[in-house]
Amino acid sequence: MRLRALLDTDALGLKLLGGEDELDRAVRGVMTTDLRDPSRYLSGGELVLTGLAWRRDAADSEPFVRILVQAGVAALAAGEAELGDVPEDLVVACARNRLPLFAVHESVAFATITEHVVRQVSGERAGDLAAVVDRHRRMMTSGPAGGGPDVVLDLLGSDLDLRAWVLSPTGRLIAGSKAAGPALPAEACARLAAEHLSATRSGRRGPHRVILGSTTYSLFPVRSTGRAPQGARDVRETVLSDWLLAVDADAGDWAEERLDLLHGVTQLIAVERDRRDAARTVRRRLAQEVLELVQTGAAPSEIAARLRVAAPVLLPGLGAAPHWQVVVARVDWDGAGTETGPVAQALLEEILVDPQSSGPEHSDRIAVAHTGDEAVALVPLPAVSAEHDGSESGVLADALLQAVRSPLSAGLDDDGRLTLGVSAAVHSAEGLRGALEEARHARRVAAARPGRVCAAGHQELASHVLLLPFVPDDVRRAFTARLLDPLRDYDQRHRAELIPTLEAFLDCDGSWTRCATRLHLHVNTLRYRVGRIEQLTSRDLSRLEDKLDFFLALRMS
């Protein structure tokens, strides 16, 4: 708004004392102060209100006015409640420094002026930003994007003083406004993503209000523009792939106009999201072609030719052919009647991005296909890195889900599961079929574990755990019942702890001393419990075969 508009508002009780030629200056905000040097709290464009408590004598006016001018304020308004008429030395100082000066009638509270300015400025900014958003929407739907979500977030910061970030469903930072300052900590991003997914699964409408520490955030879902309307699809089809807009503000008391504006911003961001999805088409097609060749038993030379095409796309500038890893993912929903492969595909593309990275460039090196309810990722590794680091190079199952487990568990709620398997690195087309089978076996090992989000790596396939997922359920139940039910019944009747004692004894490799120490028991008490276990089960825990049977029964139970 302009200074002239303030002067024309009778309810504000302002009288112009100097600066008539400067009344077209724009007012960006308002500040009340009686500090001798308020510069640290000024950013420029403010109408400064003062009760003149900083003034001790006439010599104080000139330094005060110069500080305001250097800070770029729009004008000064001095109250008449304390000193009556505004001192002449202040009028002269403002005239000398070309700073517009108003007198505020003693009957008018500074709060009245502040409320009026804030209301007018916010309304004008919202209107200006709404026009910008509408212009950008038309541009982005008819041609190339003009800078991505960062540009839109910068508009929020400059025009509405809102700090905002765009996050992926796993909590990865995709974009942030310059006004947002330092990037959100990874822990905060994960918490916000988890709260968003949980609210979405529960059916609550956005924006979702979240309090972290002393900060209140409002979370707006970013719906893809290329999908069916929200009401026409199962939320589980997109909950694990939609982005979100996090705003450092409480939108609970916002007017409908401002909420509509933020929803318009999310539509702009959704256009960029769809654009990036479209850019993945080539990589997805390459992965799909390789997957089909491997599954149909094509000749290694044909698969190798496809890999040579994929290498420069996924690792531009790489001279030597890379090593490859295969990652298999599956999303299972209780009672789901639709194919979940596309959901797993979008989710795996996100999971394989380094959680510490930001922006889209890291996802340009990931190729994911899907078949049925399964997603398969082809992950390239530079050959030099793979040879140098050995079997521990590349994607590691244990670390893959560490940063995303919490938000994904919230999105899966109580009716979904995500399981992943990771192969070892292979250096040729001949090894790719084995890598695919290895990753699928590892995923089945992960599926046999408890929890909503589980992963297993190729290192585990040399262990006994490879066998356990393939034991039929009826055999599993009969085996564990025969060994463990007598101990469970005894524990229940006598409030004993034979099962925990058995677990500790096996975990300590049959060492009486270490096991007694762990359980805080006397060795004789431990010997009594182990003897009772042997008596109830007709087994001998000094024999390797019986120890192994108990070990497997506990793992399968």
Side-chain angles (χ1 to χ4, degrees):
M1 66 179 303
R2 306 293 175 180
L3 289 174
R4 193 180 305 280
L6 290 174
L7 193 61
D8 293 340
T9 305
D10 295 337
L12 300 183
L14 297 178
K15 180 173 65 175
L16 184 65
L17 300 181
E20 185 175 359
D21 295 338
E22 306 291 335
L23 291 181
D24 286 328
R25 288 189 182 185
V27 179
R28 295 178 52 196
V30 62
M31 176 193 175
T32 300
T33 184
D34 278 315
L35 295 174
R36 296 172 67 86
D37 181 3
S39 59
R40 73 183 69 179
Y41 305 110
L42 298 170
S43 58
E46 295 92 348
L47 170 66
V48 175
L49 306 175
T50 180
L52 301 176
W54 51 267
R55 183 183 178 278
R56 299 172 185 172
D57 55 46
D60 291 335
S61 293
E62 182 72 21
F64 181 78
V65 171
R66 286 184 179 177
I67 288 171
L68 299 187
V69 172
Q70 290 172 1
V73 303
L76 175 65
E80 297 178 333
E82 292 294 328
L83 303 179
D85 293 339
V86 175
E88 183 64 23
D89 50 88
L90 181 59
V91 176
V92 172
C94 287
R96 184 182 298 117
N97 291 278
R98 300 182 62 82
L99 180 66
L101 176 64
F102 298 96
V104 182
H105 194 273
E106 62 181 2
S107 64
V108 178
F110 282 176
T112 301
I113 300 174
T114 299
E115 181 181 353
H116 177 82
V117 171
V118 170
R119 185 169 60 249
Q120 294 298 318
V121 170
S122 297
E124 290 177 3
R125 287 179 178 172
D128 292 343
L129 182 58
V132 172
V133 168
D134 184 63
R135 184 168 67 253
H136 272 248
R137 183 184 296 114
R138 291 196 301 271
M139 290 173 58
M140 295 178 74
T141 53
S142 61
D150 301 271
V151 173
V152 183
L153 299 186
D154 286 341
L155 288 174
L156 287 178
S158 62
D159 286 36
L160 290 184
D161 297 325
L162 289 176
R163 302 197 309 153
W165 303 264
V166 177
L167 304 178
S168 76
T170 63
R172 182 172 64 90
L173 182 64
I174 293 169
S177 60
K178 295 176 182 176
L184 281 176
E187 297 80 6
C189 290
R191 282 281 307 280
L192 292 176
E195 293 288 346
H196 168 73
L197 291 174
S198 179
T200 302
R201 286 303 315 276
S202 66
R204 286 187 280 142
R205 296 185 59 186
H208 311 303
R209 182 172 176 269
V210 179
I211 300 176
L212 298 184
S214 59
T215 305
T216 300
Y217 298 91
S218 296
L219 309 180
F220 294 81
V222 177
R223 306 293 188 198
S224 173
T225 60
R227 296 171 185 154
Q230 176 69 11
R233 68 178 191 268
D234 189 334
V235 68
R236 297 182 299 187
E237 295 180 26
T238 58
V239 67
L240 298 179
S241 58
D242 281 341
W243 287 356
L244 67 136
L245 173 66
V247 179
D248 182 2
D250 186 349
D253 55 356
W254 282 5
E256 286 297 323
E257 293 80 5
R258 176 169 282 214
L259 286 173
D260 289 343
L261 176 60
L262 265 292
H263 288 305
V265 170
T266 65
Q267 291 173 13
L268 280 179
I269 297 171
V271 171
E272 177 64 17
R273 170 64 193 273
D274 291 343
R275 198 179 306 279
R276 294 184 183 182
D277 279 348
R280 291 178 172 175
T281 302
V282 173
R283 298 189 300 278
R284 286 177 171 177
R285 187 172 66 246
L286 287 172
Q288 198 75 38
E289 291 173 353
V290 173
L291 176 62
E292 291 174 1
L293 290 173
V294 171
Q295 292 190 136
T296 56
S301 58
E302 189 176 355
I303 299 174
R306 288 298 180 189
L307 291 179
R308 284 194 294 271
V309 173
V313 174
L314 299 178
L315 287 176
L318 186 68
H323 287 62
W324 301 91
Q325 272 184 288
V326 175
V327 181
V328 172
R330 181 182 174 111
V331 174
D332 292 291
W333 302 105
D334 293 347
T338 59
E339 183 180 284
T340 60
V343 178
Q345 180 185 42
L347 187 56
L348 188 52
E349 287 173 335
E350 172 61 33
I351 290 173
L352 287 172
V353 178
D354 182 353
Q356 302 303 318
S357 68
S358 61
E361 64 278 359
H362 296 272
S363 62
D364 291 342
R365 298 183 175 184
I366 299 165
V368 184
H370 74 83
T371 172
D373 292 333
E374 181 183 74
V376 179
L378 194 63
V379 182
L381 304 173
V384 174
S385 172
E387 290 168 0
H388 180 268
D389 295 332
S391 61
E392 295 303 312
S393 65
V395 177
L396 300 178
D398 291 340
L400 194 58
L401 299 177
Q402 185 174 356
V404 301
R405 190 179 303 276
S406 174
L408 289 183
S409 295
L412 293 163
D413 198 17
D414 59 354
D415 62 347
R417 289 199 75 203
L418 168 67
T419 51
L420 289 95
V422 181
S423 78
V426 296
H427 67 278
S428 66
E430 289 84 351
L432 207 55
R433 182 177 181 83
L436 176 60
E437 291 304 315
E438 192 173 54
R440 284 173 168 164
H441 279 306
R443 192 207 64 78
R444 285 193 285 270
V445 169
R449 295 171 175 169
R452 292 287 165 195
V453 181
C454 298
H458 62 93
Q459 302 92 335
E460 302 174 64
L461 299 188
S463 170
H464 64 277
V465 295
L466 174 62
L467 302 176
L468 299 186
F470 308 104
V471 177
D473 288 342
D474 55 345
V475 175
R476 182 192 301 261
R477 285 191 295 268
F479 182 75
T480 57
R482 184 165 60 249
L483 282 176
L484 301 182
D485 279 1
L487 306 182
R488 293 193 182 104
D489 293 342
Y490 187 89
D491 282 347
Q492 188 174 6
R493 290 197 311 271
H494 301 281
R495 296 185 178 180
E497 296 184 350
L498 298 186
I499 292 288
T501 300
L502 176 61
E503 291 175 333
F505 186 73
L506 295 175
D507 194 42
C508 292
D509 297 324
S511 169
W512 297 99
T513 304
R514 281 194 290 127
C515 184
T517 301
R518 174 181 294 190
L519 296 176
H520 305 289
L521 298 174
H522 191 277
V523 173
N524 288 340
T525 303
L526 175 61
R527 290 185 182 277
Y528 171 79
R529 289 188 182 180
V530 170
R532 179 62 66 182
I533 291 171
E534 293 175 332
Q535 179 183 14
L536 291 170
T537 60
S538 301
R539 295 297 184 109
D540 183 355
L541 278 169
S542 66
R543 298 178 66 248
L544 176 60
E545 294 85 349
D546 288 341
K547 285 181 182 177
L548 180 59
D549 283 348
F550 277 121
F551 178 79
L552 293 174
L554 289 170
R555 283 297 182 95
M556 288 191 293
S557 65

